Amino acid sequence: MYSFSSIQQLQADLKSKTINCEALVTLAIAEIKKKQHLNAFLEVFDSSALELAKKTDEKIAAGTAGKLAGVIIGLKDNICYKGHKVSASSKILEGFESLYSATVVEKLLAEDAIIIGRLNCDEFAMGSSNENSAFGKVLNPLNEKCVPGGSSGGAAVAVAANLCHVTLGSDTGGSIRQPASFTGTVGVKPTYGRVSRYGLIAYASSFDQIGPITKNVEDAALVLEIISGLDKHDNTSSSQKVDEYSKQISSGKKYKIAYLKECVEAEGLDPEVKTAIITQLENFKKAGHTVEAVSFPFLEYLVPTYYVLTTAEASSNLSRFDGVHYGYRTPNATDLESTYKKSRSEGFGAEVKRRIMLGTFVLSAGYYDAYYSKGQKVRRLIHNKTNEILSTFDLIITPSTPGTAFEFGKNSADPIKMYLEDIFTVQANIAGVPAVSVPCGIHSNGLPMGIQIMAGYFQESKMLDLAKQVIV
Ligand code: GLN
């Protein structure tokens, strides 16, 4: 088995002919098969991947290969790749094939990356444990009794278990960072608008971003740089110039770092996670950065605000799955209305239905002011406070998650308990700022822990620069 350590090393090995792309893809397919029980991949695109590999080998020989030549990339099953199936891990999209590729996929292919397959996730990216997939749970390779996190669980596991080199996930409230934290990988949620959402199956459009999950910060920086940028197909994508993150991550700059007191002192925080975060803060100080505690008085409002607003957006976004336009249609309908009702009742899973109902409720005439409108106002307060802190500090630190990966079933009976898993990650999506989760040590239970770094809008360079300095 070729042992992948970084994209840079891989490029050197391809150049020196230690390995070629065709062999890399063959090895990856074998490895995915060997670890099939993890259930990370829903489908392997063997023939198109091998075809891409052959073409890339020719380009390497001709000296015309792109920056991601030979990098084997898996896609979360909510990112479209033309001519390939995509299902958002839902029965309702059964058999559906993408008619076009997401902009991120086009950008990866333009740099000669090899797309290897689609990865299991929580249905429509709703969940924190991957237990909500219509196609079975994904096992955490570090302890198979434990969840890999969600919703991009398959994407995190594919990197952690060496099934491919890099994956793309989506993050609406932590779905890249939380599974990264649970599997000892690096996960980036870019600034809202940094990466085009064209071709991402929408969950909550004002929160969703696509981002990379990788083995190290350098790879995340390079992939992020490639997938970022203005896109005429996504009006919320930004025209702000894309920095060369991969070249700016060893700047030697000293940063003003804030850590959020309420997060580090949170009641439900695992004491070992707390110690790991404090140790990193000490390390940052020793390295010459300034570290200060800052109060963030809205911690308890984060999760409710997130769930009021995202369910509202989801109820609207998911109305297109009606049994007529896409995928699954009930065989039991008698007229148009029962086609809609039965297709949706049979096609969606329990969590998705719960959120559609919640979202419809908070948007309904009688409750709009009490919930949706209030949620928008609280979002503004959280946004303002986050930006106020980031006007005096370069970066904000919190733990990525309250604890390490938990056992299957632990939170399944209690949605509120499950939702509280997102307490530290949703802030970045509510405010729209970038955030990364980086491994910061191993718990005495043997599982990895993650530290989260948030930065101001479009300050991914600073964020990744500090992320690289985290000592494991
Ligand atoms: N765990 C969160 C949720 O269940 C985050 C999901 C996401 O980021 N897609 O909504």
Side-chain angles (χ1 to χ4, degrees):
M1 177 65 194
Y2 174 78
S3 150
F4 172 83
S5 56
S6 70
I7 296 178
Q8 202 183 10
Q9 181 62 45
L10 173 72
Q11 301 290 307
D13 292 341
L14 286 166
K15 210 166 164 197
S16 66
K17 299 200 168 58
T18 311
I19 187 92
N20 65 32
C21 298
E22 207 178 332
L24 280 171
V25 170
T26 310
L27 286 169
I29 293 171
E31 200 61 17
I32 294 168
K33 233 184 222 142
K34 207 171 100 196
K35 296 182 185 158
Q36 211 163 5
H37 70 286
L38 296 175
N39 202 22
F41 275 85
L42 290 178
E43 187 182 353
V44 182
F45 304 144
D46 338 23
S47 55
S48 61
L50 279 165
E51 212 175 287
L52 282 174
K54 279 182 202 156
K55 275 195 200 142
T56 311
D57 279 330
E58 283 165 21
K59 282 193 177 177
I60 292 170
T64 58
K67 287 189 208 158
L68 295 179
V71 179
I72 301 186
I73 301 190
L75 301 175
K76 182 175 181 179
D77 187 35
N78 59 357
I79 298 174
C80 296
Y81 179 20
K82 188 175 177 175
H84 296 79
K85 286 202 178 96
V86 65
S87 77
S89 289
S90 179
K91 190 178 157 190
I92 208 155
L93 271 168
E94 212 167 50
F96 179 76
E97 214 173 78
S98 298
L99 301 171
Y100 59 88
S101 287
T103 299
V104 290
V105 171
E106 297 285 6
K107 284 178 180 265
L108 293 177
L109 292 173
E111 292 295 343
D112 296 314
I114 298 168
I115 310 286
I116 189 84
R118 58 188 173 99
L119 296 154
N120 205 346
C121 57
D122 283 300
E123 186 178 4
F124 283 98
M126 298 175 184
S128 308
S129 66
N130 227 299
E131 291 167 294
N132 297 336
S133 167
F135 305 109
K137 58 190 185 190
V138 178
L139 309 188
N140 190 324
L142 305 168
N143 178 345
E144 295 185 3
K145 285 199 194 91
C146 291
V147 305
S151 63
S152 315
V157 168
V159 172
N162 302 311
L163 308 180
C164 59
H165 304 150
V166 170
T167 57
L168 290 189
S170 67
D171 191 311
T172 306
S175 275
I176 290 176
R177 291 159 286 154
Q178 187 248 21
S181 169
F182 280 9
T183 57
T185 53
V186 174
V188 179
K189 197 278 300 177
T191 304
Y192 184 77
R194 180 68 303 177
V195 174
S196 167
R197 292 179 294 110
Y198 182 69
L200 169 70
I201 296 175
Y203 159 18
S205 309
S206 77
F207 294 73
D208 299 340
Q209 273 291 286
I210 297 172
I213 298 181
T214 58
K215 280 229 180 284
N216 56 60
V217 175
E218 290 87 339
D219 289 358
L222 180 63
V223 173
L224 182 63
E225 173 184 314
I226 287 165
I227 62 172
S228 293
L230 180 66
D231 178 14
K232 65 174 189 300
H233 296 302
D234 175 3
N235 283 335
T236 63
S237 68
S238 170
S239 58
Q240 176 105 6
K241 185 179 151 282
V242 179
D243 291 331
E244 283 185 292
Y245 308 125
S246 59
K247 297 205 176 114
Q248 296 173 353
I249 48 174
S250 300
S251 72
K253 284 185 195 147
K254 301 298 169 212
Y255 295 117
K256 242 185 124 183
I257 301 168
Y259 70 90
L260 302 185
K261 219 168 48 197
E262 288 79 0
C263 297
V264 174
E265 283 162 12
E267 212 179 286
L269 183 65
D270 183 299
E272 287 189 46
V273 174
K274 179 174 175 173
T275 308
I277 301 297
I278 290 171
T279 307
Q280 291 302 331
L281 293 171
E282 292 300 329
N283 289 338
F284 291 150
K285 267 192 213 162
K286 277 188 213 140
H289 303 289
T290 317
V291 177
E292 267 177 53
V294 165
S295 174
F296 180 73
F298 302 128
L299 188 63
E300 62 185 307
Y301 301 110
L302 292 173
V303 170
T305 305
Y306 170 81
Y307 278 93
V308 166
L309 297 178
T310 55
T311 54
E313 293 188 24
S315 76
S316 162
N317 273 326
L318 270 60
S319 62
R320 72 191 71 178
F321 303 105
D322 55 6
V324 177
H325 294 88
Y326 306 93
Y328 176 78
R329 180 180 304 168
T330 179
N332 309 315
T334 47
D335 55 11
L336 185 63
E337 191 164 329
S338 69
T339 304
Y340 292 157
K341 271 194 187 158
K342 289 193 172 152
S343 299
R344 286 169 71 79
S345 303
E346 293 162 19
F348 288 129
E351 181 62 25
V352 174
K353 283 190 254 193
R354 178 181 296 124
R355 294 197 193 192
I356 291 173
M357 287 191 275
L358 263 172
T360 308
F361 175 77
V362 301
L363 285 174
S364 61
Y367 294 95
Y368 186 94
D369 285 342
Y371 293 103
Y372 184 71
S373 174
K374 191 173 266 174
Q376 293 284 41
K377 288 177 191 157
V378 181
R379 182 178 199 178
R380 172 59 62 182
L381 290 175
I382 293 166
H383 167 278
N384 288 352
K385 185 68 199 173
T386 306
N387 283 296
E388 186 194 309
I389 298 172
L390 287 165
S391 64
T392 29
F393 291 89
D394 294 300
L395 299 156
I396 298 178
I397 302 280
T398 73
S400 300
T401 55
T404 57
F406 47 89
E407 288 196 10
F408 286 105
K410 184 182 155 240
N411 293 331
S412 311
D414 184 351
I416 307 277
K417 230 168 131 196
M418 189 69 100
Y419 296 169
L420 283 169
E421 290 293 331
D422 306 326
I423 187 155
F424 302 133
T425 48
V426 293
Q427 183 183 355
N429 306 74
I430 293 173
V433 298
V436 60
S437 173
V438 201
C440 70
I442 303 288
H443 193 276
S444 60
N445 65 15
L447 291 165
M449 301 178 282
I451 183 168
Q452 174 174 247
I453 307 169
M454 286 182 262
Y457 296 121
F458 303 104
Q459 301 293 307
E460 276 85 352
S461 287
K462 276 186 194 172
M463 179 179 95
L464 296 170
D465 188 5
L466 189 72
K468 221 187 128 190
Q469 296 171 43
V470 172
I471 302 168
V472 190

